[in-house]
Amino acid sequence: MLSPVTRVVFFASLLFVDAIAYGEIYKYKDEGGNWHFSDKPITAEQKLNSQKKHQGTQEPGNLPAVESERALSVTQQNNLAQQLEQKFNPNTPIERVTLAVVSIETPLGTGSGFFISDSGYLLTNKHVVRPAKSSHWKKSQKQLEAFDARLKKNQKWLDKEGPRLKKMASELKSYKQRIEQRSGSALKAAADSDYRVLLNRYENWKDNYDKVLNEYKIAKQKYDRESSKFRLRSSASNISRNFKVILKDDTVVHAELVSLSADLDLALLRVLGYKTPFLSEYRGRPSQGDTVYAIGSPLGRRDYVTSGIITRVQRDAIITDTQILPGNSGGPLVTEKGEVLGINTQKLSYREVGTEGFGISIPLAKAKKAFQSELER
């Protein structure tokens, strides 16, 4: 019998972003009370001449108004740092950190990331934006392969049992005809009894066959559909350069891929046209026993914080017992003051000894070094 089909569900998003430049607009009022707009500020000499020309003809306190201001441009409207600060009014360093942490949607799933500059640069894991290379993708592929193997096994059973079932139906039909030709009542009654036993066996067999066949057809349709989606999204994940980014307040912006690290599980993205909140690097030396926090989007949820301690510091990694779950990848590991130690990248589990495992983070200094040329542009 077929077991219930485990569906493999994925989310695709290929979005684009436009970069817009904005300048300053100045306004001033002339002697007639009319406002004028210009891309250049009024000079002190112009202001003085205007005041002399109209001295004595105006009411006190009604001198020509001269004002220089930045227009309410899209730049101000797109000040995400200010927007989030005003909405959440963080009370602690960790709450303030969460303003700069985002959820990233890709063709094959979701991950986390965080801004490292006010100009929209953000870090995440390479396996978040290229999930077709990740362990999660390999796991999904294995699930589909196992599903396919089970379908083939059931197809083989159906191919074997179908002809046997037809043969039994034909034999029962012939047996029934022979029974009807018999004249002796005793022999006919015995044959009828045997026939009913065989018929009951056949009907049970056919019911089971029909049930397996029906479940097979449903499962095969689901497999074909999900397998097709998986192949298409796997292909898309290898070429996507634009990603959906969701902020703490559910605002959606779009990020473009800037660079992928050749050696580390790191990717650099950028959200254009916005002033963004960002996290600062921890300049001290992390030590065993230090309290740390992991922030991200675990298990399809967003804006979650877990805490723990540093269990070990290695040259290329920071090991922590902080709970790192699927979806936390790409999020920051921070100190109690909200300064970034590293980028959460994977979890080591030891099920055979009953432990929840350890999280591994790539030091932020290594990440910045990996993308130094891009960040200095």
Side-chain angles (χ1 to χ4, degrees), residues 214-272:
N214 184 58
E215 291 181 346
Y216 170 82
K217 288 179 178 179
I218 294 173
K220 183 67 165 59
Q221 290 176 349
K222 291 181 179 180
Y223 170 79
D224 290 342
R225 182 168 58 252
E226 299 303 334
S227 179
S228 177
K229 289 180 182 178
F230 182 76
R231 288 194 300 270
L232 288 173
R233 289 167 180 169
S234 295
S235 177
S237 73
N238 285 322
I239 62 174
S240 295
R241 299 196 65 83
N242 294 273
F243 303 93
K244 183 177 179 180
V245 172
I246 306 173
L247 308 184
K248 182 181 176 74
D249 66 349
D250 296 329
T251 295
V252 175
V253 293
H254 305 143
E256 66 175 17
L257 177 63
V258 177
S259 182
L260 295 170
S261 172
D263 305 317
L264 301 172
D265 185 12
L266 294 171
L268 180 67
L269 308 183
R270 190 178 188 186
V271 174
L272 297 173

Side-chain angles (χ1 to χ4, degrees), residues 121-178:
Y121 282 106
L122 66 87
L123 284 173
T124 186
N125 287 143
K126 180 162 58 177
H127 75 256
V128 170
V129 296
R130 289 291 180 265
K133 305 295 183 182
S134 69
S135 58
H136 176 73
W137 179 88
K138 293 176 181 177
K139 181 180 179 180
S140 298
Q141 185 183 45
K142 287 182 179 180
Q143 287 176 340
L144 282 173
E145 289 173 350
F147 192 11
D148 182 44
R150 187 168 183 81
L151 284 174
K152 289 179 178 177
K153 181 178 180 180
N154 281 273
Q155 177 65 68
K156 185 176 180 180
W157 183 88
L158 290 167
D159 290 343
K160 176 183 177 182
E161 296 300 304
R164 292 179 60 190
L165 197 60
K166 289 181 179 180
K167 182 179 179 181
M168 186 174 184
S170 177
E171 291 175 346
L172 280 172
K173 183 178 180 180
S174 298
Y175 189 34
K176 180 67 174 177
Q177 290 174 348
R178 291 198 300 272

Side-chain angles (χ1 to χ4, degrees), residues 94 97 279 291-295 332-336 338-342:
I94 300 305
V97 166
L279 304 183
T291 299
V292 289
Y293 298 83
I295 303 162
L333 184 72
V334 302
T335 66
E336 290 181 293
E339 297 172 315
V340 183
L341 290 163

Side-chain angles (χ1 to χ4, degrees), residues 7-52:
R7 301 195 55 160
V8 184
V9 182
F10 304 101
F11 302 90
S13 176
L14 297 174
L15 301 167
F16 299 86
V17 63
D18 295 324
I20 307 175
Y22 307 98
E24 295 210 42
I25 298 177
Y26 301 89
K27 65 180 182 180
Y28 64 92
K29 190 181 292 184
D30 64 16
E31 63 276 11
N34 300 311
W35 283 103
H36 296 270
F37 296 85
S38 171
D39 60 355
K40 297 180 180 179
I42 187 171
T43 65
E45 182 179 0
Q46 288 172 323
K47 178 180 179 180
L48 182 60
N49 290 338
S50 177
Q51 289 173 340
K52 287 179 178 180

